[in-house]
């Protein structure tokens, strides 16, 4: 693909002076200057609102050099053919268009663009030349390079694009692959004899020479490549009746799916519940649900901490839908259908303002925070937040307006300090839990090596997770964000970044992923690892805006050293693009669902899969346990009995609603526990900042192997959500112990 938005690049010459950086020592310096034993401190180079650390792991994407028929040998040095691109789907993909030229050739177009100081040239319709420095408006490669099939108006032996197909040429931008590709050679180091403008002790190339640094020390990153059962496996679970927009495990052992209006068949109710105990009975497995009054398209979801564990959905597509508040009280049991339906009445209970693409979170006081979005389909931003049940007015969040439209579905988390982490586009802050206004600005979120403007929230859509918290809870909590994309060429981001927001001087740590990924889904597993799945390697979130599905799963283990935490796991054959989800089942498998790309290539995806982690495929027997008390107060010691196997660890995983890279409600906690024989005691987390009120899947582990989960509530219902909303057409569970 064509690199975009480079702020610095290697010049386009082919003769190099090599200077090798080995660990921390420069091997070649200017003649006559005493050798220094170490490299001078290399400061972070400011890249807009983010920073790039030269010691961080970054990706190198080889630039393709393809030739669709004769390519003139006389094009300027450094310019190469990059492919046939689709133009004008969302606008012109190059910023400057030249007048039609009846004598157009590839050489002539490149010469014009080069004279304008541009690095990308494109020709289409045989005679139309365009220039720029990046591919914009979501331009992507055509399915076939032969889609560019029109002879140039000035030379019939050359190809100059086609109807809305642009032959793209660009200069090399300094990728390591370009060095060998362009026949570059090393020259005597004495050729590099120009003093660096910022530090006269060192040399910075000379004329048509560059000083080139290469890392020859310990590899900056390593990826494990397990095989067989150790790589996990994708398995088909069941055919579907719905293309879900949101997937949410419920405490009744089932999974609810919500879809946008018009996605499914005409008779769809828009809501279904999957009973995993009836997978051999297709009709019994899928319970159609009613009650939705408005369109849930691009809404937010949560499980409430009330005694019933009701599921909440807020926001939506347009009009009244954007104000929607919808609730479902999970009932029934595995193998037995429930009777409760979704409940909604916008005339009685609604958001204060319409929201499309909002996020939602349970605060430490048990109330619901709803943040951001747009005022309906592709409308103006809604740069504010509100509380449910309604308390006061809207709280302004101007930073969401300043980063619109790249800050939708912002990432949210309650921190152990009590503050609220919010991540949006490529920025992050901590908000006051009292005023909901910023109290600490975090460093800009690093992007990718080819574009510092890369973003992490919709439409660039990465995914966020909280790393595990473990008793005695003295370690700072870590926030991790993986994947994303960028404006212009929309090359997916190939890294994860993490930060400890409560640190005195928090800094992002960058770890390279084995492959690029936009629209990923991440699922927290009971052993403390994380499964990264779904998404694409090119494009952004939205209908028809991504290509090259990423079929590979990655396992992230935070207990391993930084940059050695990822394992390349099994592959699927099913493309999971826009509107795909992943959630943890009670048996420790990961349910993978959805995909609605609307791209004319990949289908709407009804099939439901599971990813089976290695801890199940190992064949080791599962532990099992029983517990009577499923309603815990903070700091309470709760007894459970191990009925099979041995308990080496207990994990608590927060109830999740998965949509658009967000796992709203996610949290992983390893509480203190002890056993005497088969009788064990687990101690609930100490407060509502380490563990906001909510429902959790409790697993007992023997090594990495988990039991079947039991759902427990921690922290009660301090906001009295059990009595809300107080209208007769809503069934409320009231207050009291878990039911």
């Amino acid at each position: 693909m064509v690199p975009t938005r480079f702020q610095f690049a290697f010049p386009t010459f082919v003769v190099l002076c090599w200077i090798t950086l080995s660990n921390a020592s420069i091997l070649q310096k200017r003649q006559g200057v005493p050798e220094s034993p170490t490299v001078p401190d290399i400061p972070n180079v400011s890249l807009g609102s983010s920073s790039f650390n030269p010691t961080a792991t970054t990706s190198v994407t080889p630039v393709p050099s393809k030739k669709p028929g004769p390519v003139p040998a006389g094009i300027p040095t450094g310019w190469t053919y990059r492919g046939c691109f689709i133009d004008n789907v969302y606008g012109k993909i190059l910023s400057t268009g030249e007048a039609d030229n009846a004598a157009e050739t590839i050489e002539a177009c490149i010469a014009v663009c080069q004279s304008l100081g541009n690095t990308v040239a494109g020709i289409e319709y045989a005679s139309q030349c365009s220039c720029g420095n990046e591919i914009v408006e979501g331009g992507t490669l055509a399915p076939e390079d032969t889609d560019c099939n029109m002879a140039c108006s000035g030379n019939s032996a050359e190809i100059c694009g086609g109807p809305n197909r642009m032959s793209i040429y660009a200069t090399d931008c300094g990728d390591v692959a370009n060095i060998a590709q362009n026949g570059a050679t090393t020259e005597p180091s004495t050729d590099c004899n120009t003093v660096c403008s910022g530090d006269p002790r060192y040399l910075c190339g000379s004329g048509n020479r560059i000083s080139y640094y290469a890392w020859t020390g310990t590899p900056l990153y390593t990826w494990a490549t397990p095989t067989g059962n150790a790589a996990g496996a994708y398995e088909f679970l069941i055919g579907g009746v719905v293309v879900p927009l949101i997937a949410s495990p419920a405490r009744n052992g089932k999974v609810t799916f919500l879809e946008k209006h018009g996605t499914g068949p005409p008779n769809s109710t828009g809501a279904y519940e999957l009973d995993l105990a009836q997978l051999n009975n297709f009709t019994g497995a899928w319970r159609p649900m009613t009650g939705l009054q408005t369109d849930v398209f691009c809404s937010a979801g949560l499980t409430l901490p009330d005694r019933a564990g009701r599921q909440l959905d807020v926001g939506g597509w347009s009009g009244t839908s954007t104000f929607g508040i919808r609730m479902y009280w999970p009932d029934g049991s595995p193998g037995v259908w429930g009777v409760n339906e979704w409940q909604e009445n916008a005339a009685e209970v609604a958001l204060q303002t319409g929201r499309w693409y909002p996020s939602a979170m349970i605060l430490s006081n048990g109330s619901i925070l709803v943040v951001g979005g747009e005022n309906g389909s592709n409308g103006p931003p809604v740069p504010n937040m509100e509380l449910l049940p309604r308390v006061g007015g809207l709280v302004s969040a101007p930073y969401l307006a300043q980063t619109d439209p790249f800050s939708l579905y912002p990432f949210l988390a309650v921190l152990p300090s009590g503050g609220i982490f919010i991540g949006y586009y490529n920025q992050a802050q901590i908000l006051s839990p009292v005023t909901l206004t910023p109290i600490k600005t975090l460093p800009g979120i690093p992007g990718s090596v080819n574009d510092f403007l890369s973003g992490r929230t919709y439409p660039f859509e990465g995914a966020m997770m909280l790393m595990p918290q473990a008793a005695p809870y003295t370690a700072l909590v870590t926030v991790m964000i993986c994947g994303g994309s960028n404006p212009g060429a929309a090359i997916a981001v190939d890294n994860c970044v993490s930060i400890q927001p409560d640190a005195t001087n928090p800094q992002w740590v960058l770890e390279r992923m084995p492959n690029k990924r936009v629209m990923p889904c991440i699922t927290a597993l009971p052993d403390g690892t994380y499964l990264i799945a779904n998404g694409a390697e090119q494009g952004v979130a939205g209908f028809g805006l991504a290509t090259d599905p990423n079929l590979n799963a990655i396992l992230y283990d935070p207990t391993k050293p930084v940059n050695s935490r990822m394992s390349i796991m099994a592959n699927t054959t099913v493309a999971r693009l826009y509107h795909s989800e992943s959630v943890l089942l009670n048996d420790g498998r990961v349910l993978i669902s959805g995909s609605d790309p609307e791209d004319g290539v990949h289908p709407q995806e009804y099939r439901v899969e599971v990813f089976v982690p290695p801890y199940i495929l190992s064949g080791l027997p599962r532990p099992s346990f029983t517990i009577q008390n499923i309603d815990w107060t903070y700091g309470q010691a709760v007894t459970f009995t191990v009925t099979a196997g041995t308990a080496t660890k207990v994990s608590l995983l927060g109830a999740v609603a998965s949509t658009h890279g967000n796992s709203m409600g996610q949290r992983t906690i390893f509480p203190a526990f002890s056993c005497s024989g088969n009788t064990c005691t687990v101690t609930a987390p100490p407060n509502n900042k380490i563990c906001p009120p909510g429902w959790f899947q409790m697993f007992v582990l023997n090594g990495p192997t988990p039991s079947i989960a039991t759902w427990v509530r921690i922290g009660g219902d301090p906001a009295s959500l059990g009595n809300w909303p107080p209208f007769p057409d809503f069934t409320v569970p009231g207050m009291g112990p878990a039911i």
Side-chain angles (χ1 to χ4, degrees):
M1 303 303 294
V2 178
T4 64
R5 292 188 184 273
F6 273 93
Q7 299 301 301
F8 49 87
F10 296 138
T12 57
F13 44 68
V14 297
V15 183
L16 309 176
C17 296
W18 288 87
I19 298 181
T20 302
L21 179 65
S22 178
N23 295 330
S25 176
I26 289 182
L27 303 183
Q28 175 64 41
K29 294 188 174 66
R30 177 164 59 97
Q31 297 295 321
V33 177
E35 172 130 351
S36 171
T38 61
V39 176
D41 291 337
I42 304 176
N44 288 354
V45 180
S46 177
L47 299 177
S49 61
S50 300
S51 61
F52 172 75
N53 187 325
T55 64
T57 305
T58 51
S59 70
V60 174
T61 304
V63 180
S65 179
K66 300 180 291 182
K67 299 184 178 182
V71 175
I75 65 173
T77 301
W79 287 78
T80 55
Y81 176 66
R82 306 305 176 89
C84 179
F85 278 69
I86 301 172
D87 186 34
N88 221 22
V89 175
Y90 304 99
K92 302 299 292 182
I93 64 173
L94 288 179
S95 58
T96 303
E98 301 300 312
D100 286 10
N101 180 6
E104 191 67 82
T105 64
I106 296 170
E107 305 96 300
C109 181
I110 291 175
V112 169
C113 295
Q114 192 172 43
S115 70
L116 295 173
N118 294 133
T119 58
V120 182
I123 315 104
E124 63 184 332
Y125 289 105
S127 61
Q128 296 179 6
C129 176
S130 298
C131 305
N133 292 315
E134 59 186 351
I135 299 293
V136 297
E137 301 297 346
T140 58
L141 281 168
E144 300 293 338
D145 204 74
T146 53
D147 286 3
C148 289
N149 52 25
M150 295 184 70
C152 297
S153 58
N155 185 347
S156 61
E158 296 178 4
I159 297 296
C160 284
N164 285 323
R165 295 295 186 270
M166 193 175 286
S167 299
I168 294 291
Y169 292 79
T171 60
D172 293 321
C173 293
D175 284 346
V176 171
N178 300 143
I179 297 171
Q181 183 183 70
N182 291 315
T185 61
T186 58
E187 295 298 322
S189 58
T190 52
D191 283 10
C192 290
N193 53 27
T194 300
V195 173
C196 295
S197 59
D199 189 338
R201 297 176 300 161
Y202 297 94
L203 298 172
C204 288
S206 180
N208 289 332
R209 302 291 189 269
I210 64 170
S211 300
Y212 182 81
Y213 293 83
W215 178 261
T216 60
T218 302
L220 296 176
Y221 51 84
T222 57
W223 302 309
T225 54
T227 59
N229 289 340
Y234 279 90
E235 294 179 355
F236 173 76
L237 185 69
I238 190 172
V241 295
V242 61
V243 181
L245 176 84
I246 300 180
S248 304
R251 56 176 298 238
N252 61 0
K254 305 177 184 182
V255 181
T256 59
F257 295 97
L258 297 178
E259 67 174 337
K260 69 178 287 289
H261 286 353
T263 293
N267 61 345
S268 173
T269 64
Y272 290 85
E273 188 172 55
L274 175 60
D275 187 342
L276 298 161
Q278 299 198 59
L279 294 176
N280 293 326
N281 175 9
F282 186 86
T283 302
W286 290 104
R287 177 169 85 96
M289 304 179 71
T290 61
L292 294 179
Q293 304 300 313
T294 59
D295 195 344
V296 303
F297 180 26
C298 297
S299 54
L302 285 172
T303 293
L304 301 181
D306 62 32
R307 62 201 298 244
R310 286 180 298 168
Q311 293 183 344
L312 172 77
D313 183 84
V314 296
W317 161 243
S318 63
T320 304
S321 300
T322 63
F323 293 84
I325 296 178
R326 313 162 189 93
M327 296 184 183
Y328 164 57
W329 179 339
D331 66 334
S333 60
V336 179
W337 277 18
V339 297
N340 292 345
E341 307 289 356
W342 284 91
Q343 297 180 329
E344 179 182 8
N345 187 338
E348 294 177 343
V349 58
L351 297 173
Q352 295 185 46
T353 185
R355 299 182 188 276
W356 190 47
Y357 294 109
S359 293
M361 182 184 71
I362 302 297
L363 292 170
S364 59
N365 65 5
S367 58
I368 304 158
L369 179 67
V370 185
V371 180
E374 290 182 342
N375 185 18
S377 174
N378 297 316
V382 184
N384 53 50
M385 56 191 73
E386 60 183 279
L387 295 174
L388 296 174
R390 185 176 296 190
V391 176
L394 301 172
V395 178
S396 177
Y399 44 87
L400 296 179
Q402 294 162 4
T403 51
D404 180 75
F406 303 145
S407 53
L408 303 176
Y409 276 128
F411 299 131
L412 301 172
V414 173
L415 300 173
S417 63
I420 299 166
F421 172 88
I422 180 169
Y424 52 96
Y425 183 31
N426 56 9
Q427 301 178 27
Q429 299 191 76
I430 297 178
L431 308 181
S432 163
V434 178
T435 65
L436 302 179
T437 56
I439 56 176
K440 183 177 181 179
T441 298
L442 299 172
I445 303 173
S448 52
V449 66
N450 65 309
D451 197 335
F452 67 90
L453 293 178
S454 296
R456 305 288 182 162
T457 51
Y458 186 94
F460 301 135
E461 197 173 308
M464 188 201 85
M465 286 277 121
L466 286 180
M467 294 291 98
Q469 301 168 264
Y473 311 107
T474 53
L476 296 172
V477 72
T478 298
V479 173
M480 181 177 74
I481 304 172
C482 294
S485 191
N486 48 63
I491 299 171
V493 173
D494 72 343
N495 61 61
C496 295
V497 291
S498 57
I499 194 170
Q500 295 178 331
D502 283 336
T504 302
N505 182 30
Q507 297 294 326
W508 292 96
V509 175
L510 187 148
E511 298 177 86
R512 186 182 176 192
M513 292 192 293
N515 38 50
K516 298 172 289 184
R517 203 178 297 257
V518 61
M519 300 180 293
C521 296
I522 308 181
T523 304
L525 303 183
D527 64 348
T529 61
Y530 296 82
L531 184 75
I532 305 171
N534 301 3
E537 296 198 44
Q538 168 72 37
V540 297
F543 292 129
L545 299 182
T547 60
D548 197 5
N550 192 324
L551 304 176
N552 177 241
I554 300 297
L555 191 69
Y556 183 91
D557 185 349
T559 66
K560 294 182 178 180
V562 170
N563 284 311
S564 298
R565 293 176 170 176
M566 299 187 203
S567 296
I568 301 171
M569 308 297 281
N571 292 330
T572 181
T573 60
V574 180
R576 301 287 181 181
L577 299 167
Y578 189 46
H579 289 174
S580 64
E581 307 82 27
S582 68
V583 294
L584 179 67
L585 298 177
N586 285 348
D587 62 8
R589 295 180 298 171
V590 177
L591 183 143
I592 308 283
S593 60
S595 186
D596 189 16
E598 305 287 351
D599 60 2
V601 178
H602 302 97
Q604 291 182 321
E605 192 53 69
Y606 288 84
R607 290 172 291 179
V608 180
E609 296 175 283
V610 287
F611 182 86
V612 186
Y615 53 59
I616 293 177
L617 295 177
S618 69
L620 296 175
R622 290 180 184 269
S624 61
F625 73 102
T626 59
I627 187 169
Q628 301 301 315
N629 181 3
I630 61 168
D631 201 359
W632 305 357
T633 59
Y634 291 117
Q636 181 180 9
V638 180
T639 299
F640 66 93
T641 301
V642 176
T643 56
T646 302
T648 60
K649 188 179 291 187
V650 172
S651 62
L652 301 166
L653 280 83
V656 161
S658 173
T659 186
H660 291 81
N662 247 304
S663 293
M664 300 179 196
Q666 182 271 330
R667 213 169 188 98
T668 299
I669 298 174
F670 290 109
F673 86 103
S674 60
C675 294
S676 177
N678 291 335
T679 301
C680 302
T681 299
V682 58
T683 303
N687 59 56
N688 60 358
K689 300 175 183 62
I690 289 171
C691 175
W695 284 89
F696 291 78
Q697 292 167 294
M698 175 185 172
F699 292 90
V700 171
L701 295 99
N702 183 3
T705 307
S707 66
I708 304 298
T710 294
W711 287 70
V712 301
R713 181 173 72 155
I714 303 175
D717 182 10
S720 299
L721 297 179
N723 293 330
W724 175 74
F727 297 101
D729 50 348
F730 284 85
T731 304
V732 296
M735 302 299 291
I739 53 177

